[in-house]
Amino acid sequence: LMLKNYFKSEFNKNVTTLFTGTVIAQAIPIAISPILSRLYSPDEFGVWALYVSLVMFFSVFSTGRYQFAIMLPKEKKEAINILGLSFIILIVFCLLFSLIIWIFYDVLRLYESFRKIEYWIYFLPLSIFLVSSISILNVWNSRGKKYKNIVGSKVSQTTITSIVNIVVGMIKNKLNLKLLYQAIFTKNITPKGITEIGLKGLIGGLIIGQVIGVFVLMISFARHNFKRLKWINKKEMKASALKHKAFPTINVMHASMDNVQSTGVTLLIMHFFSAYALGLYSYAYRIIQAPLGMIVSSYAQVFFQKSAEMHANGEKLNAFYRKTLKTFILMGLPIFLIFGFFGEEIFGFIFGNEWSESGFYVQLLTPWFFMNFLFSPMGQLPLILNQQKKVFGISIIGNSLILLSIIIGGLFYNSIEVGFILISTTQFFYYSYLIFWFDKITK
């Protein structure tokens, strides 16, 4: 009876659909993580993390963040014009970015970080296009409550990426299935250094998976919305661009600050420490974010749609916000307590002794991870409540504290552990303030 009542709620059904699909999508990379830790070195994961950071950083600017305005109009005609506007900006951006890379490639190679990526730098515009296309189409599907399309894309993307990761990793280490089994369960092999084929397995697998993810969403979009493309015209797109100008002028700056932080952490760890340390950190972040991220992303997409709908209808959001916060405290606290006390032992047992230090990083960063977990599902509320300017100013402080923590740890103590302790301390108080402020603005 309780289950029947639960599924009477459209919100609960939508969350369950997204969550179930995301669990399937993330179960594969989580399951193969102990395999990948035997096939690729921390240094290779470090270069992969650097590539991903650059893609995510430039993706912020690639659409002017207009895709998030797709959710706001009541009329579908206006929404599809915003979608068209987002894709036009994206295509122009990627073409210009390709030209810049081609012209300044030799200059970029003067920097160690870009030398680590080597020729993969030419693939950055493609990855940016794919990531941003998925973002645009995901918001479109969220608007129409077509969450199964999002799920199909996620599952396809992670499945293909994981297959490529394993197959290329086996070729790299000259393993067949029998030897792979022995490597996992009887021999604790630990690859060293950076290899060309290793980067093909990690970065190439990522790109191929993204291509499949976009393809699945495009097929679904064409099937259901092809006739609506004729609604797109220059006049409507221009009007939408002006109406939602806060997205490229304010929201881009906010999002770029978040990405300056994540990319900055990557570059600072590479600068002060090594690709090896970056690999350990990025692996720790990846393993923690994979299972918890699927909860957050599933809930956040439905929360965004439901909150926007409630606000448009003049309803207060505070009760909904508080209920969500309590739900995430109850879900997250037991998990983070376990990792906070036993992270090093868990990583060493599952992924091999080489990665136990990565688990120690998780222990140091647990307060930050936990507070970020609580806050993330409701992060789009300032967009709905027209509080973009203030949240941008607050985020500058939070992101600066993270970067300063790594700088202090590297410059004054030559210790990444000190940097992580400072991050956890400052971010606990930063997110505490945000949580109380969100409670205030939703009243």
Side-chain angles (χ1 to χ4, degrees):
L1 184 62
M2 287 179 64
L3 193 63
K4 187 177 179 181
N5 290 333
Y6 176 85
F7 283 109
K8 281 183 179 180
S9 165
E10 184 185 33
F11 179 83
N12 289 338
K13 282 194 290 187
N14 290 336
V15 170
T16 303
T17 299
L18 264 181
F19 178 70
T20 303
T22 308
V23 166
I24 297 170
Q26 292 293 344
I28 298 170
I30 292 170
I32 69 167
S33 292
I35 301 175
L36 297 185
S37 65
R38 270 81 171 182
L39 298 177
Y40 299 95
S41 69
D43 302 84
E44 287 167 335
F45 273 107
V47 176
W48 170 86
L50 179 60
Y51 181 87
V52 172
S53 293
L54 291 172
V55 171
M56 300 313 294
F57 175 77
F58 289 109
S59 295
V60 169
F61 306 96
S62 63
T63 61
R65 303 284 284 179
Y66 273 115
Q67 73 266 35
F68 295 104
I70 292 171
M71 191 74 78
L72 303 181
K74 285 190 175 182
E75 299 297 325
K76 189 165 282 188
K77 183 178 180 181
E78 183 181 349
I80 203 165
N81 272 279
I82 299 172
L83 179 140
L85 173 67
S86 300
F87 269 112
I88 288 173
I89 296 172
L90 173 60
I91 292 168
V92 172
F93 179 90
C94 290
L95 289 173
L96 290 174
F97 196 60
S98 298
L99 182 62
I100 291 169
I101 289 175
W102 183 72
I103 293 172
F104 294 103
Y105 179 74
D106 290 333
V107 176
L108 292 172
R109 277 186 58 80
L110 296 175
Y111 298 92
E112 183 183 358
S113 296
F114 286 101
R115 285 201 303 274
K116 294 278 188 185
I117 298 175
E118 295 181 334
Y119 61 85
W120 288 103
I121 191 173
Y122 286 114
F123 288 84
L124 284 173
L126 173 61
S127 286
I128 291 166
F129 177 80
L130 294 171
V131 166
S132 298
S133 296
I134 290 171
S135 178
I136 294 168
L137 293 170
N138 277 350
V139 177
W140 176 263
N141 280 298
S142 292
R143 174 187 168 85
K145 301 178 184 178
K146 297 184 183 298
Y147 297 107
K148 289 182 180 179
N149 295 338
I150 300 173
V151 167
S153 174
K154 283 183 178 180
V155 172
S156 302
Q157 182 178 339
T158 56
T159 301
I160 298 300
T161 297
S162 299
I163 290 172
V164 175
N165 288 162
I166 292 177
V167 171
V168 177
M170 289 173 66
I171 295 170
K172 167 185 179 259
N173 292 279
K174 299 177 182 178
L175 300 174
N176 55 31
L177 290 175
K178 183 179 179 180
L179 292 173
L180 178 63
Y181 175 85
Q182 292 175 347
I184 297 168
F185 295 103
T186 62
K187 295 180 182 178
N188 189 15
I189 62 170
T190 52
K192 303 287 185 182
I194 301 170
T195 62
E196 183 177 334
I197 191 170
L199 297 184
K200 285 180 180 178
L202 291 175
I203 299 177
L206 176 73
I207 294 171
I208 294 170
Q210 290 169 343
V211 170
I212 298 301
V214 171
F215 179 76
V216 170
L217 290 171
M218 285 289 192
I219 291 296
S220 174
F221 178 84
R223 187 184 300 129
H224 299 290
N225 298 282
F226 187 77
K227 291 182 179 179
R228 294 192 179 102
L229 291 176
K230 64 183 179 182
W231 293 351
I232 299 175
N233 62 75
K234 186 178 178 180
K235 183 180 178 181
E236 292 284 345
M237 285 193 293
K238 185 177 180 181
S240 295
L242 292 172
K243 181 179 179 180
H244 300 286
K245 63 182 180 180
F247 284 89
T249 56
I250 300 172
N251 190 250
V252 160
M253 295 301 294
H254 182 187
S256 64
M257 275 302 301
D258 291 341
N259 278 278
V260 163
Q261 174 256 106
S262 59
T263 307
V265 167
T266 299
L267 294 174
L268 287 171
I269 291 175
M270 183 77 82
H271 174 73
F272 285 115
F273 306 103
S274 64
Y276 180 82
L278 176 59
L280 293 175
Y281 163 75
S282 65
Y283 200 76
Y285 194 87
R286 175 181 178 176
I287 295 301
I288 292 299
Q289 290 300 317
L292 298 175
M294 62 189 178
I295 300 172
V296 171
S297 63
S298 304
Y299 206 100
Q301 284 178 291
V302 183
F303 183 90
F304 185 24
Q305 184 275 326
K306 178 69 174 177
S307 298
E309 184 178 69
M310 289 174 65
H311 185 65
N313 294 330
E315 299 177 52
K316 297 292 184 183
L317 299 176
N318 187 256
F320 187 38
Y321 164 76
R322 289 188 173 189
K323 181 181 178 181
T324 302
L325 181 62
K326 289 176 184 177
T327 300
F328 272 75
I329 290 173
L330 292 173
M331 278 195 295
L333 193 57
I335 298 170
F336 283 102
L337 283 174
I338 292 171
F339 276 105
F341 286 104
F342 305 108
E344 188 172 1
E345 291 80 2
I346 292 171
F347 271 64
F349 176 74
I350 297 175
F351 306 114
N353 293 331
E354 178 88 2
W355 298 91
S356 60
E357 189 175 352
S358 191
F360 179 59
Y361 290 174
V362 170
Q363 289 182 242
L364 297 179
L365 293 168
T366 289
W368 175 32
F369 289 158
F370 176 58
M371 297 301 287
N372 182 259
F373 173 77
L374 297 184
F375 175 77
S376 293
M378 297 143 325
Q380 303 290 357
L381 278 173
L383 303 184
I384 299 168
L385 299 172
N386 197 27
Q387 295 282 343
Q388 295 187 56
K389 287 184 178 179
K390 184 166 183 178
V391 78
F392 169 56
I394 297 170
S395 72
I396 291 175
I397 298 171
N399 289 322
S400 298
L401 289 171
I402 291 176
L403 296 177
L404 282 171
S405 297
I406 297 294
I407 291 170
I408 292 169
L411 196 60
F412 297 104
Y413 295 94
N414 192 30
S415 169
I416 196 170
E417 290 84 0
V418 170
F420 288 162
I421 292 170
L422 288 172
I423 287 176
S424 282
T425 304
T426 58
Q427 293 307 295
F428 179 83
F429 291 106
Y430 166 71
Y431 278 112
S432 296
Y433 172 78
L434 276 179
I435 287 169
F436 284 111
W437 180 59
F438 270 38
D439 187 68
K440 180 181 178 181
I441 63 174
T442 52
K443 291 178 180 178

